[in-house]
Amino acid sequence: MVTQTDGNPPEKGVSPLVANTYDAEVNVPYEVNEETNKPTAPPSGVFGKLLYYGHKVIVAGRVELQGISPIPVKERTVTKTLNIFTLWWCMSVNILPITFGMLGPVYGLNLRDSCLIILFFTLLSTVLPAYLCTLGPKLGMRQMIQARYSWGRYIVSLPVLLNLATTTGFSVIIVITGGQCLSAVADGRLSISVGIVIMSVLTLIISFCGYTTLHMYERFAWIPAVIAIIVAVGCGGKYLHLQNPPPSPPTPQSVLSFAMIVSSYMIPWACLSSDFTTYLVPSTPSWKIFVYSYTGLGLPTILLMCLGAAIGGAIPSVPAWSEAYEQTLVGGVLQAMLSPAGGFGRFLVVILSFTLLGNLAATSYSITLNFQMLAPVLFKVPRYLFAIILAAILIPVGIKASGNFFHNLENFVSLIGYWSSAFLGVVMVDHLWEKGGDCEKYDLEAWNDASKLPWGVAALTAAVLSFGLVVPSMDQVWWQGPIAKTTGDLGFEFAFVVSGLLYVPLRMLEKRVSGR
């Protein structure tokens, strides 16, 4: 049964996002007046005063201080459901899907085959993040906190760690792509490394502030992105028909390997879906959230990945594009496509690089929350401080990885689909089978109480055992399993199905032994 402890209502005129500003979770080093719920005079000492006045500045700047604890019902007040569509739309309307689509020709696929794979596997894999978005308003819990109800209080730290690696890896890809664009605009006078630093700092500003600033940014940032992409296609579209034919017909291995890339782009979103819907009114219709999430995420991804496949197939046939690609990869090709527009084209390349901020800021927001979930001691650290830590990670890792970008991209994306599919197979079966798809069966007061949550042994065992079939089905540069040699990569499909099937008997056994 869903239970939620309600305290006094927020002070009139105070946003629900900052109503908990002086909550114990923030861990501020000064006393709070119980009657006014406001801080007392600043403590003595330089350090204490710095924290006190810095905290007041953060509150005045509308920085979200709510961490990973469930959002109380009284604070789930957002009624603009359209925000979910604009959030996912803005996160997808950028040059990142174009970059992923350009991998189609790398697998020896022509434009038609690439687009068919993109269409089918995007429509299929978008179901997971769209469905899990619907649970956010009802439970008020972040996605990885929901996972505690199947993975347990402590064992869930393992998928949280993997999710941190996944989302941070995606963020590295994004800052590199943005850095390439900025470098291309400056004709190499601005290094890719400096571009990476610029992208990381801009992301820090948005993700530092939190939910309100994120949704406000995403509501409008997609508009210049769409304009810039349309102009780019208008300027360079006359060359897109010059497709370089693949050397041989597509094989099952090439088809399923590229399908793995497409699915690995979409599926990890499900590991953070409800992070973006927890402040919606609980009575928001689930079908509306699903439709907004599905179309906002799936539609632009399909269109832009297909555009990327078209660009990737035409690069060998257009000398200017090939030369630009050799210098600054994706950014160089976009600069070459927009070169007929002159200075305005350069300006649009800058806009295209900044379109990545919509995706990067939302991903970074979830990363800051995942840091708090990683270990109990980190729960006391304010969310916004992890935004600074993330920027400090992105800059050096992005600079290092930019040296061999597409090789690193292919290897990274191919791996993340396996663990996330196994994790989500357990989460979905637990929700639909164990709880019958009924959010009323979640005890929200147990979210941080290990004695009331499952052990998580069943979930971990199911996920680990699924790799007995996943590993023989993997098709990677460094490993090709015996099944994959015949069929191609079926790893993520087996991970999802097998982990879910194994979880049922293992969970029944766990309940019998543990009593919960």
Side-chain angles (χ1 to χ4, degrees), residues 341-358:
F344 181 63
R346 291 179 179 273
F347 170 74
L348 288 180
V349 175
V350 175
I351 295 298
L352 285 172
S353 67
F354 289 158
T355 63
L356 292 164
L357 292 175

Side-chain angles (χ1 to χ4, degrees), residues 401-458:
S402 63
N404 198 353
F405 176 64
F406 269 103
H407 176 73
N408 292 326
L409 171 63
E410 184 178 350
N411 289 339
F412 166 74
V413 173
S414 297
L415 286 175
I416 61 177
Y418 302 128
W419 85 262
S420 55
S421 294
F423 165 77
L424 291 167
V426 169
V427 170
M428 291 296 294
V429 169
D430 181 80
H431 178 71
L432 296 175
W433 167 72
E434 173 79 7
K435 299 176 177 63
D438 186 2
C439 291
E440 292 292 326
K441 293 184 178 180
Y442 288 80
D443 179 6
L444 298 191
E445 291 185 346
W447 74 276
N448 203 35
D449 189 345
S451 66
K452 296 181 180 179
L453 292 169
W455 285 349
V457 175

Side-chain angles (χ1 to χ4, degrees), residues 24-185:
E25 177 188 349
V26 181
N27 200 32
V28 290
Y30 44 80
E31 297 182 355
V32 175
N33 188 304
E34 294 183 358
E35 295 182 359
T36 64
N37 196 34
K38 294 181 180 180
T40 58
S44 58
V46 176
F47 181 71
K49 289 182 178 179
L50 283 174
L51 287 177
Y52 173 82
Y53 287 112
H55 192 67
K56 294 192 72 173
V57 170
I58 288 170
V59 175
R62 313 297 282 180
V63 175
E64 180 190 356
L65 297 176
Q66 177 75 42
I68 61 173
S69 57
I71 311 299
V73 174
K74 62 185 175 61
E75 294 183 22
R76 293 181 230 161
T77 58
V78 176
T79 57
K80 294 181 180 178
T81 316
L82 186 61
N83 283 357
I84 302 304
F85 174 81
T86 57
L87 175 75
W88 288 113
W89 178 270
C90 187
M91 287 165 62
S92 304
V93 178
N94 54 64
I95 56 178
L96 187 62
I98 295 176
T99 304
F100 275 72
M102 290 174 68
L103 290 172
V106 174
Y107 286 97
L109 300 171
N110 59 32
L111 180 58
R112 183 201 63 184
D113 294 334
S114 295
C115 290
L116 287 175
I117 293 169
I118 290 168
L119 175 64
F120 178 77
F121 282 91
T122 300
L123 291 176
L124 178 65
S125 56
T126 308
V127 172
L128 282 174
Y131 178 77
L132 290 175
C133 267
T134 64
L135 305 184
K138 295 178 175 61
L139 299 175
M141 290 190 291
R142 316 293 184 173
Q143 197 63 64
M144 283 297 179
I145 294 296
Q146 292 179 27
R148 289 183 178 181
Y149 290 80
S150 53
W151 285 80
R153 172 65 181 82
Y154 300 110
I155 292 181
V156 77
S157 295
L158 178 59
V160 168
L161 181 62
L162 292 172
N163 194 41
L164 271 173
T166 298
T167 49
T168 303
F170 263 112
S171 299
V172 169
I173 293 171
I174 295 171
V175 296
I176 292 174
T177 306
Q180 291 170 350
C181 289
L182 294 177
S183 178
V185 171

Side-chain angles (χ1 to χ4, degrees), residues 121-439:
F121 282 91
T122 300
L123 291 176
L124 178 65
S125 56
T126 308
V127 172
L128 282 174
Y131 178 77
L132 290 175
C133 267
T134 64
L135 305 184
K138 295 178 175 61
L139 299 175
M141 290 190 291
R142 316 293 184 173
Q143 197 63 64
M144 283 297 179
I145 294 296
Q146 292 179 27
R148 289 183 178 181
Y149 290 80
S150 53
W151 285 80
R153 172 65 181 82
Y154 300 110
I155 292 181
V156 77
S157 295
L158 178 59
V160 168
L161 181 62
L162 292 172
N163 194 41
L164 271 173
T166 298
T167 49
T168 303
F170 263 112
S171 299
V172 169
I173 293 171
I174 295 171
V175 296
I176 292 174
T177 306
Q180 291 170 350
C181 289
L182 294 177
S183 178
V185 171
D187 293 328
R189 292 189 297 272
L190 177 74
S191 69
I192 294 177
S193 298
V194 174
I196 290 171
V197 173
I198 293 172
M199 294 294 295
S200 299
V201 171
L202 291 175
T203 302
L204 167 64
I205 296 172
I206 301 173
S207 60
F208 183 89
C209 294
Y211 183 94
T212 300
T213 303
L214 175 65
H215 276 273
M216 186 181 301
Y217 177 84
E218 306 283 12
R219 193 179 305 164
F220 304 105
W222 64 271
I223 299 174
V226 170
I227 295 173
I229 291 172
I230 290 174
V231 174
V233 174
C235 290
K238 59 184 177 182
Y239 298 111
L240 293 179
H241 71 284
L242 301 175
Q243 294 292 304
N244 188 49
S248 60
T251 64
Q253 290 84 352
S254 62
V255 170
L256 289 174
S257 293
F258 184 55
M260 175 69 182
I261 295 293
V262 175
S263 300
S264 295
Y265 177 86
M266 303 300 292
I267 290 175
W269 286 123
C271 298
L272 44 90
S273 293
S274 69
D275 293 1
F276 309 124
T277 59
T278 50
Y279 284 100
L280 287 173
V281 174
S283 59
T284 305
S286 294
W287 69 265
K288 185 179 292 187
I289 298 174
F290 180 88
V291 170
Y292 280 158
S293 301
Y294 191 86
T295 55
L297 179 59
L299 180 59
T301 299
I302 292 171
L303 295 176
L304 293 176
M305 276 196 182
C306 289
L307 174 60
I311 294 173
I315 287 175
S317 304
V318 184
W321 291 12
S322 299
E323 182 180 353
Y325 179 81
E326 291 295 328
Q327 295 177 355
T328 48
L329 298 177
V330 180
V333 175
L334 292 172
Q335 168 67 20
M337 290 178 67
L338 285 163
S339 58
F344 181 63
R346 291 179 179 273
F347 170 74
L348 288 180
V349 175
V350 175
I351 295 298
L352 285 172
S353 67
F354 289 158
T355 63
L356 292 164
L357 292 175
N359 187 305
L360 189 55
T363 305
S364 301
Y365 173 73
S366 286
I367 290 174
T368 61
L369 295 170
N370 275 257
F371 268 119
Q372 288 187 316
M373 301 176 205
L374 189 59
V377 66
L378 298 178
F379 173 65
K380 297 182 179 181
V381 180
R383 181 201 62 80
Y384 54 83
L385 292 183
F386 288 114
I388 301 174
I389 295 174
L390 176 63
I393 295 173
L394 290 181
I395 292 172
V397 175
I399 292 172
K400 178 68 175 178
S402 63
N404 198 353
F405 176 64
F406 269 103
H407 176 73
N408 292 326
L409 171 63
E410 184 178 350
N411 289 339
F412 166 74
V413 173
S414 297
L415 286 175
I416 61 177
Y418 302 128
W419 85 262
S420 55
S421 294
F423 165 77
L424 291 167
V426 169
V427 170
M428 291 296 294
V429 169
D430 181 80
H431 178 71
L432 296 175
W433 167 72
E434 173 79 7
K435 299 176 177 63
D438 186 2
C439 291

